[in-house]
Amino acid sequence: AQSVTQLDSQVPVFEEAPVELRCNYSSSVSVYLFWYVQYPNQGLQLLLKYLSGSTLVKGINGFEAEFNKSQTSFHLRKPSVHISDTAEYFCAVTPDILTGGGNKLTFGTGTQLKVEL
Amino acid sequence: DTEVTQTPKHLVMGMTNKKSLKCEQHMGHRAMYWYKQKAKKPPELMFVYSYEKLSINESVPSRFSPECPNSSLLNLHLHALQPEDSALYLCASSPQRTSGSHEQYFGPGTRLTVT
């Protein structure tokens, strides 16, 4: 089984400041990792994904994440946030296909990013 | 095109009503999902269809009945719901690959209120 921990339930940050949203996971098998964003009253949008290869993954809207296998982390970063980045961010994992997984996403509890002027 | 559409956007129903939620995707994905999301919580998986067959049912009460008429459409039939079933219902789809991931693409959701 997999589990995902998002340590920060809320992260306030001023506009144009950098931000890091933390995600740690636990799994006995290899996993794929995802970050989703959910704006108020909307569905989830895929920000970025890590499957294999380069540990630094770039996504949409200027976000990037770094996979660290030894620390079982997949933290999300943005060098300069905008008011429009205010949203809920979910980290998620799924076992890789070779271990029989793929259809069940395990989500973290979410981090509310609040960007202030 | 990475769009999943859902109708209606909002639905208010009484506990004795029967209603249906609809979901559609045209990305050629062969897996489709229903999730329930309560406020301030992550989505909870309800059902998964793979190649139009129900492959996962997360012990969902029988008052929720899924249907996958074809590879592009997914319905969720609702009957005799309880007020605690009020939530945002999300549909998602994903490719079914033999390698790589099954990243899921979500629709905008249907906000359901049971009175």
Side-chain angles (χ1 to χ4, degrees):
Chain A
Q2 290 72 45
S3 67
V4 178
T5 302
Q6 292 182 247
L7 293 167
D8 305 303
S9 60
Q10 285 193 324
V11 173
V13 62
F14 288 109
E15 194 174 34
E16 297 184 7
V19 70
E20 177 179 85
L21 306 184
R22 296 181 292 169
C23 172
N24 288 88
Y25 69 93
S26 173
S27 177
S28 57
V29 299
S30 296
V31 294
Y32 300 132
L33 295 140
F34 306 89
W35 275 99
Y36 284 88
V37 60
Q38 186 173 30
Y39 299 103
N41 300 313
Q42 294 188 28
L44 277 69
Q45 182 180 11
L46 181 63
L47 266 181
L48 48 77
K49 62 186 178 185
Y50 174 78
L51 307 182
S52 63
S54 173
T55 57
L56 184 62
V57 180
K58 294 192 184 296
I60 62 171
N61 302 341
F63 283 94
E64 63 182 32
E66 184 153 22
F67 171 62
N68 187 318
K69 189 173 182 179
S70 62
Q71 296 188 8
T72 59
S73 68
F74 190 53
H75 300 333
L76 182 70
R77 301 186 184 103
K78 187 169 182 178
S80 175
V81 295
H82 190 267
I83 287 283
S84 58
D85 293 320
T86 294
E88 189 82 18
Y89 291 79
F90 292 101
C91 182
V93 303
T94 187
D96 74 26
I97 290 172
L98 295 177
T99 60
N103 282 126
K104 290 189 77 168
L105 274 176
T106 299
F107 287 94
T109 50
T111 297
Q112 173 68 39
L113 174 64
K114 186 168 182 182
V115 181
E116 302 166 353
L117 290 171
Chain B
D1 182 10
T2 56
E3 188 177 25
V4 177
T5 59
Q6 290 187 244
T7 55
K9 292 183 86 109
H10 301 276
L11 178 63
V12 180
M13 60 185 290
M15 289 190 283
T16 58
N17 291 158
K18 283 186 181 182
K19 296 286 185 183
S20 297
L21 309 184
K22 297 185 183 302
C23 174
E24 190 167 6
Q25 57 90 13
H26 293 290
M27 294 178 278
H29 291 170
R30 300 308 298 273
M32 297 187 77
Y33 311 73
W34 280 116
Y35 288 86
K36 173 183 178 180
Q37 186 181 27
K38 293 286 231 181
K40 307 291 186 189
K41 298 288 187 185
E44 298 172 32
L45 183 65
M46 300 174 72
F47 303 104
V48 181
Y49 273 83
S50 177
Y51 295 96
E52 295 93 70
K53 290 192 182 342
L54 184 64
S55 60
I56 297 175
N57 177 341
E58 294 286 87
S59 303
V60 179
S62 60
R63 57 186 184 269
F64 295 92
S65 175
E67 179 196 19
C68 190
N70 60 54
S71 61
S72 300
L73 291 173
L74 185 66
N75 299 321
L76 185 63
H77 303 298
L78 315 172
H79 175 53
L81 294 193
Q82 304 297 309
E84 59 265 28
D85 296 322
S86 297
L88 182 68
Y89 287 83
L90 294 164
C91 174
S93 71
S94 72
Q96 288 287 69
R97 301 189 179 109
T98 55
S99 64
S101 81
H102 300 165
E103 67 270 17
Q104 296 182 25
Y105 295 89
F106 287 79
T110 294
R111 175 74 59 189
L112 174 67
T113 303
V114 181
T115 61

